[in-house]
Amino acid sequence: MTEIPEHLLKRSRDRRAAGASSESVSAPVPVPTESVAPVARAAAETPVQKLDSKPDSPDVVAAKSRQRIPYWAMATLSLMPIFLFMYVRGLQPQKAEASGPIAVGIEQYGACASCHGADGGGGAGRVLSNGESQKTFPHIEDMLNWVYAGTEAYEAAGVESYGDPNREGGAHYPRSYNGGAMPAQGSMAGGALTEYEILGLVCHIRYDISGADAAGEWAEEFEKWCSADSEIFAGLEDGSLSFDSLPGVGTAPRLGTPAADEIAAA
Ligand code: HEC
């Protein structure tokens, strides 16, 4: 800011006092005095004069006596746009976030979709949808073992079939689908997935893709293996459990267990 030298200010004051008119170009008041009404000019020039000019009109009085927003409230009011933003965001439906094994399975399923189809409808790999997964594997343990080991490990170990040997439509033998092999997924068998990821995939396939009823017939299995608070999943994730320490799972290929009703019937 430029300071106006005191002597200039004084000169300006003197001229105003002397009733200077249009020549007072150097006066700090920029209003061209000849074009404004006398009252306005008086107001612009000396506030003292204004005091003894006309009394305020009713609307001016109203404006002056109106309650103003207190300074402390301004701080709060300045946050209004943020509150509004948060409110509007709160109104939008949140994406349902799956958690636990199912969420992990959804995330990893891309590794399987190329052969089994995005919806499990099959392709180079067998159909996984429409109850097929529960038919081949009435016990989730056998499905975990199969996905971990894959076709070649079963062949190499000389294990004749995988899953339920009494499966409706006949047992599934290695390479009995189209001659192709199911690649091993577990790390000790040469795959790239961890054991908790394999459990997540198997849960996603059984409950989302193959349609097992998590609240009905399959509730017990779901709670134990696939729910968000499954202790088995948590144990596999933190390393305190492994497929080899879980009864009935294991990483070595082995014959599957028939469904409970088949055992009962035998
Ligand atoms: C390269 C293709 C391919 C990929 C990738 C693949 N699979 Fe397979 N899958 C197959 C084939 C082929 C079979 C049949 C195996 C056989 O006949 O030996 C099969 C069989 C299966 C079965 C047994 C189904 C049944 O009812 O018999 C399951 C379960 C399975 N795959 C799960 C998976 C999962 C989970 C993934 C992803 C991690 C995956 N597959 C990735 C090709 C694939």
Side-chain angles (χ1 to χ4, degrees):
M1 245 223 276
T2 356
E3 294 241 352
I4 300 164
E6 187 54 37
H7 69 276
L8 287 181
L9 288 173
K10 183 173 182 301
R11 193 169 67 190
S12 147
R13 272 195 299 270
D14 293 345
R15 281 207 201 163
R16 247 187 283 167
S21 63
S22 53
E23 305 100 70
S24 61
V25 189
S26 66
V29 183
V31 190
T33 43
E34 68 271 52
S35 66
V36 289
V39 176
R41 190 168 64 209
E45 285 173 357
T46 35
V48 184
Q49 272 177 321
K50 201 182 134 217
L51 280 180
D52 21 64
S53 66
K54 277 203 297 177
D56 286 337
S57 62
D59 50 332
V60 172
V61 173
K64 281 181 176 169
S65 57
R66 192 187 63 217
Q67 276 252 307
R68 298 211 166 72
I69 300 169
Y71 285 112
W72 59 263
M74 284 181 184
T76 317
L77 286 173
S78 69
L79 294 175
M80 282 288 278
I82 299 171
F83 291 150
L84 194 72
F85 173 76
M86 288 164 69
Y87 174 73
V88 169
R89 242 174 52 134
L91 288 183
Q92 265 135 37
Q94 296 293 302
K95 253 201 260 160
E97 269 184 41
S99 57
I102 301 275
V104 168
I106 291 170
E107 204 174 292
Q108 300 293 331
Y109 186 71
C112 325
S114 53
C115 291
H116 290 281
D119 54 0
R126 278 192 184 267
V127 173
L128 301 175
S129 57
N130 265 328
E132 283 298 310
S133 294
Q134 297 94 278
K135 279 182 193 157
T136 307
F137 306 100
H139 301 282
I140 190 173
E141 292 92 332
D142 292 343
M143 187 165 170
L144 294 167
N145 177 275
W146 165 255
V147 173
Y148 187 99
T151 302
E152 285 173 13
Y154 269 68
E155 286 177 320
V159 177
E160 201 191 316
S161 68
Y162 63 86
D164 184 352
N166 306 329
R167 189 198 190 278
E168 175 193 317
H172 284 180
Y173 306 101
R175 291 194 202 267
S176 64
Y177 172 58
N178 57 5
M182 162 69 195
Q185 302 298 325
S187 56
M188 275 167 12
L193 298 176
T194 63
E195 294 179 1
Y196 78 85
E197 286 170 335
I198 293 174
L199 174 57
L201 276 165
V202 164
C203 289
H204 173 51
I205 292 169
R206 288 173 84 80
Y207 290 94
D208 296 333
I209 293 177
S210 196
D213 180 4
E217 189 190 346
W218 296 91
E220 204 180 311
E221 176 192 285
F222 181 82
E223 275 311 307
K224 185 174 171 191
W225 298 85
C226 299
S227 65
D229 44 34
S230 157
E231 283 172 18
I232 292 176
F233 177 77
L236 292 173
E237 203 176 14
D238 69 23
S240 61
L241 292 177
S242 69
F243 278 13
D244 281 324
S245 74
L246 286 171
V249 183
T251 55
R254 52 171 183 72
L255 278 175
T257 317
D261 48 355
E262 294 163 10
I263 300 170

